[in-house]
Structures are given as structure tokens and as C-alpha cells.
Amino acid sequence: MKNQTMEIEFILVGISSLPELRLFLLVFFLCIYVTALVGNSLIFFTICASQQLHTPMYFLLGNLSAIDLLCTSTIVPKMLANLLSQKATISFVGCMAQIYMFTWALVSEVLFLALMAFDRYAAICHPLHYPMIMSSRVCIGMAGSIWAIGISNSAVHTSLAIHLSFCNSLIIDHFFCELPPILKLSCSDTHLNETLALCADVIFGVGSCSLILISYGCIIKTILRIRSSEGKKKAFSTCSSHLTVVSLYYSTAIYTYIRPTSNLSLERDKIITALYSVIIPMLNPIIYSFRNREVKGVLKRLLGWTSFSLPGRTVSIHLKNHPS
């Protein structure tokens, strides 16, 4: 029975079952994936290459870019391949691999967003103690713990999903293998799977969201105490990019996971899942780079060495440091 389960293939309905949308969706998601790949890779390597950006805030941003690369690369390549083929299928092993990688990326992302909120809280509310609170050792330790938690949580859910049986339909009404549609498809008793999934959603989703809300509550209280309007504007500007990403991500992810199963609508969820799993990872580097003068300054310096060439000579541009 176990060997038969390992050999089965699932059929993915996709984000839309309309054949006339296949070409549009292929081009659309290909452009999104290339943008996410280039943008997040550029942010990651820019932070690694620039000593100026070796600070806790950018260290966490680099980790977030790595998670976004993991998330989109887990989902989009297989989606594009299925859009090109006549029959959109995925093997059982491939399906479990997608569940593992996506769950890992999902939990890691919400935890890193919470840690980034705490970093802004420490910087604004406790500026004198900030170097000690967010020291290199602390940052590396917390980041490593988040990656380990994501891996462990994903391993638990995936190991339980591997033992499920599929007796009737093998059609997954989704564009990739995600845990809720798989549990709905299985003919096994999924009570334990659903209970642990709900616990993880509450602990990681609600827990991290609560930490973010508490952090920003303290930040707002501290900003309101600043007398000068310039000081208030500068303090808030350090949080604006993160706050934008958090608002986009949590509004979609929490809607999908933190709600009664009676309200489950897979057709509607496919669009919402595409927002936080594919589109938001593409937007993250745009939000952080275009709204952050330090990142833009470093990017211009790194890319400015080969700005243009003239016959017989190369003209290089050296840009001054942008004020933070």
C-alpha cells in the first residue's frame, strides 16, 4: 500500500481551469518569477557585498530575500511547466517536497517579519542599548533558530502527510501542493494533521502577528513623544517599508489559515495564496529598495562602475554615499 502511494501522480487543476487563459498566465507568472528572482538575488548579494549594510536590519532583510527565493522557486517553476504541458501532473514525492519547502518558507517568513519588527522596536525605543540587544551574536543566533524552527515544523507536517492514503480522486484543486487541499483530498483520518496544522497556525501566525502589533504599539508611543516633526518623520521612515510588507503579507496569509474550515473556499484561496506566495515575494525587494536610500545608494555604487562605455575608453561613475 505504501509503495503504491509513492508511485501515484496528482493532477493539479491550476490557478484557472480555462484553457484560453493558459498563455496569459504563463507569461504573467514567468515575468513575476524573473522579477522576484532578480530582485531578491540583487538585494541578497548587495547586502553581502556592502560593508555599509552589515547591520542587524539588513542582515534580517537578506534572510527575508533568501526565504522569498526559496518560496517562489518551490512553486513557480512547476507551475510554469504545467502551463506548458497538456496534462498538469506532479508525483507524490514532488508533492511532498513542495509541501515541505513551502511550509518551511511560510513559517520562516512570518518569524523573520516578527524579528524585524522587534529590531525596529529596539532601535527606536531603546537606541542606547540597541548595539547590545541586537548584537551580531544575537542576530545570528535568532536567525539560525528561525531557520531551524521552520525546518522542524515543516518536517512534522510533511512526515504526517506522507502516511496519508488517497483512495478516490487524485485531482488537487490548486496550482501547487499545499497542505489544506491535500488533507481535503485524503481518505485517511486527518484529525491529527488538521489539529497540528491549526496549532502551528496559531503559534506562528497569531504569535508573530501579536509580537509585531506589540512592537509597533511601543514604536508609535515612542514616536509620539518626539517633539520635532523631522524626528518623527525619520523614526517612522525606518519602519515604513517593513510595515508595508507586513500589512500585505499578514492580511492574505492570516485570511487563508486562521479561520474556520467551514469557510474554506479553494477557488478563492488560490488567488489569495498566489498573492502571498508569489506576488508579495516579488514586491518585497521593490518596496525595500525604492523606499530605502541606503539600499539605493549601495545599488547605484555597485552598478555604477559599468555605467557606460565609449569607444576606446570606459567611463566609470563613482557615487557619493547617500545619507541614511
Side-chain angles (χ1 to χ4, degrees):
M1 185 66 180
K2 181 63 178 175
N3 290 336
Q4 290 175 352
T5 302
M6 296 293 287
E7 293 173 0
I8 66 175
E9 279 192 337
F10 295 106
I11 298 173
L12 294 169
V13 173
I15 198 165
S16 175
S17 57
L18 299 175
E20 56 268 24
L21 292 178
R22 186 180 294 268
L23 180 60
F24 169 76
L25 291 173
L26 176 65
V27 175
F28 179 70
F29 282 104
L30 178 61
C31 293
I32 287 178
Y33 181 57
V34 171
T35 304
L37 202 63
V38 172
N40 285 291
S41 298
L42 195 59
I43 291 290
F44 181 81
F45 289 112
T46 298
I47 292 171
C48 291
S50 174
Q51 190 70 30
Q52 179 185 344
L53 300 182
H54 289 180
T55 63
M57 182 175 69
Y58 295 111
F59 171 74
L60 299 177
L61 177 57
N63 278 270
L64 188 66
S65 295
I67 292 170
D68 287 337
L69 287 170
L70 173 66
C71 185
T72 53
S73 296
T74 298
I75 298 171
V76 183
K78 183 61 178 175
M79 183 200 301
L80 296 176
N82 286 339
L83 286 170
L84 284 171
S85 64
Q86 294 296 323
K87 191 177 181 181
T89 61
I90 185 170
S91 67
F92 179 83
V93 174
C95 184
M96 293 300 107
Q98 276 198 335
I99 290 176
Y100 180 85
M101 301 299 285
F102 179 72
T103 306
W104 175 16
L106 183 67
V107 170
S108 299
E109 179 128 3
V110 297
L111 292 177
F112 266 110
L113 288 174
L115 183 55
M116 292 172 78
F118 176 77
D119 171 72
R120 292 300 84 206
Y121 158 77
I124 294 173
C125 300
H126 302 283
L128 297 179
H129 298 93
Y130 179 74
M132 181 178 62
I133 296 173
M134 297 298 292
S135 64
S136 298
R137 181 178 296 180
V138 171
C139 287
I140 294 172
M142 288 193 292
S145 299
I146 288 175
W147 284 104
I149 290 171
I151 291 172
S152 302
N153 174 73
S154 183
V156 170
H157 294 296
T158 308
S159 61
L160 289 173
I162 286 174
H163 293 89
L164 296 176
S165 299
F166 302 91
C167 311
N168 302 314
S169 175
L170 297 177
I171 300 175
I172 301 175
D173 193 7
H174 216 312
F175 58 91
F176 73 103
C177 281
E178 195 181 12
L179 196 57
I182 290 295
L183 296 182
K184 188 176 181 180
L185 192 65
S186 174
C187 58
S188 302
D189 181 9
T190 59
H191 179 72
L192 178 60
N193 304 69
E194 292 173 354
T195 302
L196 290 179
L198 179 61
C199 290
D201 294 341
V202 172
I203 292 171
F204 299 122
V206 176
S208 58
C209 187
S210 300
L211 178 59
I212 290 172
L213 291 174
I214 293 171
S215 298
Y216 274 106
C218 296
I219 288 171
I220 292 171
K221 188 184 294 185
T222 301
I223 290 176
L224 291 177
R225 291 174 183 168
I226 300 174
R227 294 185 177 181
S228 67
S229 58
E230 186 64 28
K232 289 181 180 180
K233 184 179 179 181
K234 185 175 181 181
F236 183 75
S237 66
T238 64
C239 307
S240 58
S241 297
H242 177 259
L243 195 56
T244 302
V245 171
V246 165
S247 300
L248 291 171
Y249 192 86
Y250 275 89
S251 60
T252 53
I254 288 183
Y255 169 82
T256 302
Y257 290 95
I258 311 299
R259 59 182 172 151
T261 54
S262 58
N263 294 333
L264 188 64
S265 172
L266 291 178
E267 285 297 324
R268 182 174 51 197
D269 286 354
K270 285 190 284 187
I271 299 174
I272 296 171
T273 303
L275 287 175
Y276 73 79
S277 63
V278 180
I279 296 176
I280 291 178
M282 175 202 68
L283 295 176
N284 282 351
I286 298 173
I287 293 171
Y288 278 106
S289 61
F290 280 99
R291 301 189 66 174
N292 189 297
R293 288 181 293 175
E294 283 185 316
V295 174
K296 286 193 292 185
V298 172
L299 278 172
K300 287 179 180 179
R301 286 201 303 274
L302 291 176
L303 301 177
W305 288 96
T306 55
S307 297
F308 60 91
S309 298
L310 295 175
R313 60 176 182 149
T314 300
V315 178
S316 298
I317 299 176
H318 302 265
L319 298 172
K320 296 181 179 178
N321 290 340
H322 281 239
S324 58

